[in-house]
């Protein structure tokens, strides 16, 4: 039997945006649960503050899923910011977010067979997110845990340019990796979505968000490209 899979939504997304992906994975034989986030749950992260509140909900969901399916491990799917948040969750270093007086350690890598990140910006130049991302980069560089399979999926859809139709992509890419004239999914550039030592994939034509027009990483016609890596 396939391991249960837990989806961690992206920044400012709620669990409802991932229902189709959840159902599609279940149809492929992967018992799947989405972390029950509401859009307002992300407010606690505004201004580069601690991500602990989100990770507590993730941890509770993983523990409940392990118990429900009587499993010893899960697959984790992190969309966008959910990918680097998952890397903090795997880790064994004390995390002390801004404004916190007590650090937290989740040490969830023994519970995780595979981590798949979808359009995740693993680096950032933006000052409000950079503190948290630097914590990840400095403590858990690349595909850090050898007992976890890392699969990083990027989209090659929009080339960032300073012209109508590409301006948002240009600005987002520049804020993420420092270069606007590059390829990405419209929000995350390819160079930021991959990790050293991971199995890095590029899918043409996919857009960043489940709310984007057209197809995104979780669309039924796309997901089998990366779902084959789930344990």
């Amino acid at each position: 039997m396939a391991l249960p899979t837990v989806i961690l939504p992206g920044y400012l997304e709620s669990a409802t945006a991932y229902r189709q992906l959840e159902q599609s994975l279940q149809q492929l034989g992967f018992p799947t649960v989405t972390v029950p986030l509401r859009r307002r749950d992300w407010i606690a992260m505004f201004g580069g503050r601690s991500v602990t509140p989100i990770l507590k909900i993730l941890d509770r969901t993983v523990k409940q899923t392990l118990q429900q399916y009587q499993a010893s491990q899960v697959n984790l799917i992190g969309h966008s910011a959910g990918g680097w948040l998952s890397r903090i969750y795997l880790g064994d270093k004390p995390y002390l977010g801004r404004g916190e007086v007590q650090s937290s350690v989740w040490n969830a890598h023994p519970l995780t067979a595979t981590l798949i990140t979808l359009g995740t910006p693993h680096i950032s130049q933006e000052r409000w997110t950079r503190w948290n991302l630097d914590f990840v980069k400095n403590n858990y560089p690349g595909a850090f845990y050898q007992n976890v399979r890392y699969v990083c999926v990027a989209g090659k859809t929009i080339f960032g340019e300073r012209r109508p139709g590409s301006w948002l992509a240009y600005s987002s890419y520049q804020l993420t990796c420092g270069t606007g004239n590059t390829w990405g999914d419209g929000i995350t550039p390819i160079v930021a979505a991959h990790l050293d030592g991971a199995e890095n994939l590029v899918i043409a034509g996919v857009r960043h968000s489940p709310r984007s027009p057209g197809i995104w990483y979780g669309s039924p016609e796309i997901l089998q490209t990366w779902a084959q890596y789930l344990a």
Side-chain angles (χ1 to χ4, degrees):
M1 180 179 176
L3 291 178
T5 294
V6 174
I7 302 169
L8 181 58
Y11 186 58
L12 292 179
E13 286 289 2
S14 67
T16 55
Y18 299 82
R19 292 294 181 238
Q20 184 188 53
L21 172 56
E22 184 180 303
Q23 293 168 4
S24 296
L25 288 169
Q26 288 170 347
Q27 290 170 3
L28 291 176
F30 297 99
T32 306
V33 176
T34 303
V35 178
L37 293 174
R38 302 159 298 178
R39 299 189 79 176
R40 64 178 177 268
D41 290 327
W42 294 97
I43 294 173
M45 282 180 55
F46 283 9
R49 287 180 287 182
S50 170
V51 299
T52 297
I54 300 293
L55 294 178
K56 285 183 176 179
I57 303 173
L58 170 61
D59 183 57
R60 184 165 64 245
T61 304
V62 168
K63 299 292 176 54
Q64 290 172 346
T65 301
L66 290 170
Q67 184 176 22
Q68 178 182 350
Y69 292 100
Q70 297 184 328
S72 60
Q73 288 187 309
V74 298
N75 299 308
L76 276 181
I77 297 173
H79 170 236
S80 194
W84 61 259
L85 283 162
S86 295
R87 292 170 64 202
I88 296 178
Y89 179 61
L90 297 183
D92 57 3
K93 306 291 191 303
Y95 169 80
L96 185 66
R98 289 179 174 177
E100 290 186 316
V101 296
Q102 184 174 353
S103 61
S104 299
V105 181
W106 289 273
N107 196 30
H109 66 94
L111 305 178
T112 307
T114 301
L115 170 63
I116 295 182
T117 66
L118 305 175
T120 292
H122 291 291
I123 57 174
S124 178
Q125 306 297 315
E126 202 273 324
R127 68 191 184 105
W128 297 119
T129 57
R130 188 167 180 172
W131 188 91
N132 281 312
L133 278 167
D134 281 353
F135 174 86
V136 183
K137 182 180 68 175
N138 294 334
N139 288 287
Y140 314 113
F144 187 75
Y145 289 105
Q146 294 185 356
N147 58 307
V148 178
R149 186 178 197 181
Y150 292 76
V151 181
C152 300
V153 189
K156 185 178 182 181
T157 308
I158 299 175
F159 187 82
E161 295 180 278
R162 290 181 172 178
R163 63 177 181 80
S166 299
W167 184 261
L168 173 61
Y170 177 92
S171 300
S172 183
Y173 299 165
Q174 187 175 51
L175 197 60
T176 303
C177 70
T179 302
N181 297 122
T182 189
W183 282 98
D185 62 15
I187 298 295
T188 302
I190 294 172
V191 67
H194 287 166
L195 288 173
D196 289 341
E199 296 173 78
N200 294 311
L201 310 179
V202 176
I203 303 177
V206 297
R207 292 182 176 266
H208 182 77
S209 168
R211 300 180 188 274
S212 302
I215 61 174
W216 80 290
Y217 294 101
S219 296
E221 61 268 45
I222 296 298
L223 72 88
Q224 292 196 45
T225 304
W226 52 262
Q228 61 181 305
Y229 293 92
L230 293 170

